[in-house]
Amino acid sequence: MSQFALLGKRRFAPFFWTQALGAFNDNAFRNALVMLVAFQMGLGDRTVSLYTNLAPALFIIPFFLFSATAGQLAEKYEKSRIIRYVKLFEIGAMALAAYGFYTHHTTLLLVVLFMMGMHSTMFGPIKYAILPQALKPDELVGGNGLVEMGTQMAMLVGMIAGNSLMLVAGVGPLLASGATIAVAVAGYLASRRIPPAPATAPELKFNWNPFSETARVLAITRADRPVFNAVLGISWFWFFGTVLIAQLPIYTRETLGGDGSVNTLVLTLFSIGTGVGALLCERMSGRRVEIGLVPLGAFGLTAFGVDLYFARHGAAAVRGLDWLAFLHGAGSWRVALDLALIGVFAGFYVVPLFAFVQARAPREKLSRIIAGTNILNALLIVAAAGFGLGLGALGMDAPQIFLAAALLNVLVAWYIFTLVPEFVMRFITWVLVNTLYRVRAAGARLVPEEGPALLVCNHVSFMDPLLLMANLRRPVRFVMYHKIFNVPLLSFVFRTAKAIPIAGHKEDPRVLQQAYDAIDAALAAGEVVCIFPEGGLTADGEIAPFRTGVEKILARRPVPVVPMALRGLWGSIWSRRDTRLGRARLPRRFRARVELLVDAPLAPGLPTAASLETRVRELRGDLA
């Protein structure tokens, strides 16, 4: 099913439109306010500068003050009801804004801006915490991609609408007021269609002190190291994006020589690129939470950020170009392509991170972790503003600031990926598997979402663990022959994935016993372990008899057993027949079509090695 089919589902569509309409109004109101203050009130440059710099601060302050409270509300109470209250609050805020627009009451409009910051603060933890409740695990990436795409498009249209409506001579304030109120009402009506999303921690003791609760929320966010580093990655995305977007007006005027239409064009390219990247995540990840896309996204942000500097820097020779004249200029398409691809790779970067947090974080703490994410996002947004202002004060122009952010991205990504090697491990796995094979996985969702399980599979090639790793949603501990475990380059992947090396009893009884102990400890901890009961790669493409080690594992700790079968790998690259170059037929079997077939779990008990072998043979079609 395509991710777009979710737009026809009540469990997703009303929430999607509620979120998109809210993002539209945030940006329409903010830009209408800037247009009113800058162009219609006859204020001096100093006053205009004061208001335009104060506005972002007023919008971001509620994220520091109220994110922790919002996280508690989203955990303790039913989420759809909170959303309706938040949307009613938005209608009230937009009614006040209408009065402020009509009377040019700037103080009141700044109060409304603070209120809209509160609106976004309260909605944020619910926005991402409700998705795991509404979507199936294999819909999570697609749903996040749609939300990110919808948000980017709504923000873009809202910015354009706010600017355009307020600048209509004579009736601008009335048009802007009418549009924002109408959209707020539409958002409330959409919210009434959101199905109930039960409280995940109804027994939570509410803490009204925002400062102590903020400290507690940040502690909860930091508790799980991989989740916290994903959160840091999300916050860095906001830093990078804020630096980029904040410099675009100056970049448009001073470097590209464009007018307002060119500024709209570059914003559009970045927003559409981000939306496209977000939507592509589902296809590229095979509907799994594939954090292997995150290093790819980080690479693209740096590569095209650096190229944006080399594509055009220095002062423009001609000023005042409209968007069409700009596109006809030399090198302009390279600039346009860089901006669009920065957006695409931003989508690759941030969507898997959000999906990873949603999938890995405990359900009863997810809203508070999202609240912690929003606090850190706000800190990084403020830091981004200081970064841009500081480099500007040192005399750097917009292209140089882009270059500095792109190079800094290398250091930040290296830091995060060093702390959590799983990101790089998944990237290597994703690249290798998608380069060497075309895989169809059937039944992968049958692997239990929680608790221990033992996976058994036939063993065809040296790539089997990576192929399974790339197509199963849960992290898996693989039991593998110790010499394969130590293969250069792949050993990094296997060690990071906490694979368990094993040897034969005659070869090294100590390693064998350590493997049994490690398997039992992993199952006791609720992890998933995969073994290849044949004890080695097939020598002729057929399944060899299963050894009794699987029975010893289950006798020690009975857990559900999931039979799996690989089909189509024999004769492909890295299967045994290709280990000698003289017999290899790489062109015929490169990019082999491979199938992974997963059966329903067998209840905990003592299935025999022979019965499991028979089931795997049946899955592969040997006994058809």
Side-chain angles (χ1 to χ4, degrees), residues 66 69-70 73-74 82 86 117-127:
F66 305 118
T69 301
L73 287 172
I82 300 175
V86 171
M118 289 183 61
H119 162 269
S120 295
T121 300
M122 302 305 293
F123 195 72
I126 300 173
K127 176 172 71 173

Side-chain angles (χ1 to χ4, degrees), residues 134-154:
L135 302 180
K136 300 173 184 176
D138 60 350
E139 295 172 335
L140 200 54
V141 173
N144 273 281
L146 284 170
V147 169
E148 185 64 31
M149 178 274 297
T151 301
Q152 290 294 328
M153 294 300 101

